[in-house]
Amino acid sequence: MSLRTVLMRGVTAALTSPTRRRLARDLAAARAKLRGERPTVRYFHQADDPYSHLAAQMLPRLRVRYDVEVLTWLVPPPEDSAAPDRERLRAYGLRDAARLARARGLGFPAKASLPDPEAVRRLEVVLADALERGRFEDVVSAAGAALWSSDTRTLAGMAAWASGQAPRLVDDILIAGERQRADLGHYLGGMFHFEGEWFWGVDRLGWLERRLADRGLDREAGKPPMAPALEPTLSSPLGSPLDLIAPTIELWFSFRSPYSWLVLPRIRQLARAYGARLELKPILPMVMRGLAVPRVKTLYIALDCKREAERLGLPFGKIVDPVGAGAERALAVLHHAIALGLGEDFAELGLKAAFADGIALAEDDGLYAVARRAGLTDAQVSAALADETWRDRAEANRAALLDAGVWGAPSFRVSGQPAHWGQDRLWMLEDDIRAAIESVRTSSHAKM
C-alpha cells in the first residue's frame, strides 16, 4: 500500500468520523450561543428549482413543530460546474419533483413545464418583495405553483402587486443570498442549514428533524418525523411465478460515485425480491467525461453519504479515490467479470473497497485482492487489464444514459420506463417494478 493511499484513507476516515461531526455540531452550537442567537435554521430558496418549491412548502410545518428561528434567503441557480448537464437536470427535475410531491403529500403540477426567464424573473420579484415584508411563507407556495403550471396571468398579477421592488434591489437580495450560502459552504438551492450542517430539500429534511430533536427542540417529541426517508418495502407481489414475467433493471454506476456504493447492495436486494434481472451499465466518472466536480460539492457528498450510510447500515468513510487509473482498471476487470457471471459481486466489492475499506483500485495489491474475493483468478484479472474493449462498452453505456434523459451515477430504470437518478429513488424503482409486473400479468390474464 502506497503512502498516498495510507494518507488518503486516514484523512477521509477522520473527515467522515462521527466524532468529528459531533465536535463540529457542538462548536457551531456554542458559537451561535455566544452570538446570542436562538437555534436557527437557514433556508436557501431558488425560484426556478422544483425541489425548492417542495422544500418551501415544509417551512410552516417546520416552524410549528420545532422551536427554532427560520431565516430564508433567495438565491440564484448554481454555477455550471455544480450543475453539470443543466438542461437534462432541469427536464428530469420536473417529472421527479411531481412524483416526489405525490409521495410526500405536497403540491407540484403533474404536467409542469420549464419556465421561461421572464416568468422566473417575475417570481423572483414576488419572492424578494415577500421577504422584505416578512411574508415569504404566505406567498411562496401559490407563486411557485403559478410558475410551474405556466399560469402567467396569476404570476403577472402577483408581480404587479409586489411593492415596487426595483430590479437592482432584487439583484441585491439574490447576491446577498448567494454570498451567505457560499460563506456557509454550499452551492445549491432548496438547502437547509443548521449549526454547521447541510440538508438537501425534503429528501434530507428527516435528518434535520433528527438534529433538532436531539437538541431538545421538538415540540412533539416522540411523534414520527414529518419527512422520513423513503425506502423500498421489498414486498414482492403474489400470484404467478415471477420468473415468467421477470423485468430487467438497468443500472448505470461509476466506481468513483459514493452514492453508487450506497445503491449497489440495495438494488441487488431489490432485484432478488422481485425476481428481476440486474443489468450493469458501468460508466466513467464524471470528471473523466469532462464534467467538473467542485471541491465544495465533493466535500458535501462525502459527509452526506456518511449520514446515509449510517441510516442504511452500510460501512463508509475510508475512501481512496479511484479517479483515473483506479476507475479504468476496475472497469476493465468488471467487463470480464460480467461475462463470467461475477459482475455484480465484483462491482459491489470494488465500490466497497473504494469507499469503505480504503483499498486502492489503482494498485495491484488492492485490485487483485478485490477480484479474488469476487471469485476471479489472478490470470483472469491480468487478461482483463490487457484488454481495452471495456472502453467501447463504457462509451455505449454513456450514450444510453444520455438517451435515457439522465447524466450521472447512479441512475436506473426498469423495462424501458423513465429513468431515475440518485440513491434516494429506489422506492420509485420498486413502484415501477411492481407496475411492470402487474401490467404483464394483466395482459397475460386477458389473453386466457
Side-chain angles (χ1 to χ4, degrees), residues 41 86 111 116 148 174-175 200 215 225 249 282 295 318:
V41 172
R86 191 184 297 271
K111 296 183 179 180
D116 61 63
W148 296 113
L174 287 165
I175 290 170
W200 177 62
R215 292 271 276 107
I249 300 171
R295 184 178 183 86
K318 293 181 181 179

Side-chain angles (χ1 to χ4, degrees), residues 115-351:
D116 61 63
E118 181 180 353
V120 174
R121 185 59 175 181
R122 283 177 176 166
L123 179 57
E124 288 175 341
V125 169
V126 171
L127 297 180
D129 175 74
L131 278 175
E132 290 291 284
R133 294 190 289 117
R135 297 193 62 241
F136 181 85
E137 292 176 24
D138 299 329
V139 171
V140 64
S141 292
L147 177 80
W148 296 113
S149 60
S150 300
D151 185 354
T152 56
R153 177 176 298 182
T154 296
L155 190 57
M158 297 181 80
W161 277 99
S163 60
Q165 292 284 4
R168 184 183 60 78
L169 185 55
V170 176
D171 289 336
D172 287 345
I173 290 172
L174 287 165
I175 290 170
E178 184 174 29
R179 184 180 300 118
Q180 174 76 355
R181 178 175 64 181
D183 287 347
L184 293 173
H186 219 277
Y187 52 95
L188 283 178
M191 296 299 302
F192 297 91
H193 181 271
F194 179 70
E195 293 184 349
E197 196 168 3
W198 287 98
F199 310 88
W200 177 62
V202 293
D203 284 291
R204 295 293 183 273
L205 189 57
W207 275 111
L208 173 58
E209 292 188 79
R210 185 180 298 187
R211 279 289 316 273
L212 298 177
D214 289 345
R215 292 271 276 107
L217 301 170
D218 187 352
R219 294 188 175 106
E220 301 175 18
K223 286 187 63 176
M226 299 183 301
L230 300 177
E231 286 291 323
T233 63
L234 301 180
S235 53
S236 57
L238 302 176
S240 57
L242 292 179
D243 57 358
L244 298 179
I245 50 177
T248 295
I249 300 171
E250 299 170 89
L251 169 63
W252 289 272
F253 72 97
S254 160
F255 278 106
R256 204 206 179 201
S257 162
Y259 290 119
S260 291
W261 158 232
L262 300 186
V263 157
L264 216 304
R266 294 152 65 211
I267 203 168
R268 293 183 72 187
Q269 183 182 24
L270 185 61
R272 287 193 295 269
Y274 288 93
R277 185 175 75 88
L278 183 59
E279 183 178 344
L280 299 179
K281 294 194 168 183
I283 56 175
L284 280 168
M286 291 177 67
V287 295
M288 296 173 68
R289 291 183 280 130
L291 300 173
V293 181
R295 184 178 183 86
V296 65
K297 183 175 182 179
T298 300
L299 176 61
Y300 169 71
I301 287 173
L303 298 179
D304 182 56
C305 280
K306 178 63 174 182
R307 284 187 312 213
E308 286 293 280
E310 290 174 354
R311 179 179 68 83
L312 297 166
L314 293 172
F316 185 89
K318 293 181 181 179
I319 303 169
V320 178
D321 190 350
V323 68
E328 291 188 340
R329 286 156 56 90
L331 284 169
V333 175
L334 179 60
H335 182 50
H336 280 235
I338 290 173
L340 295 168
L342 301 172
E344 291 182 27
D345 288 341
F346 178 78
E348 182 173 331
L349 289 168
L351 286 163

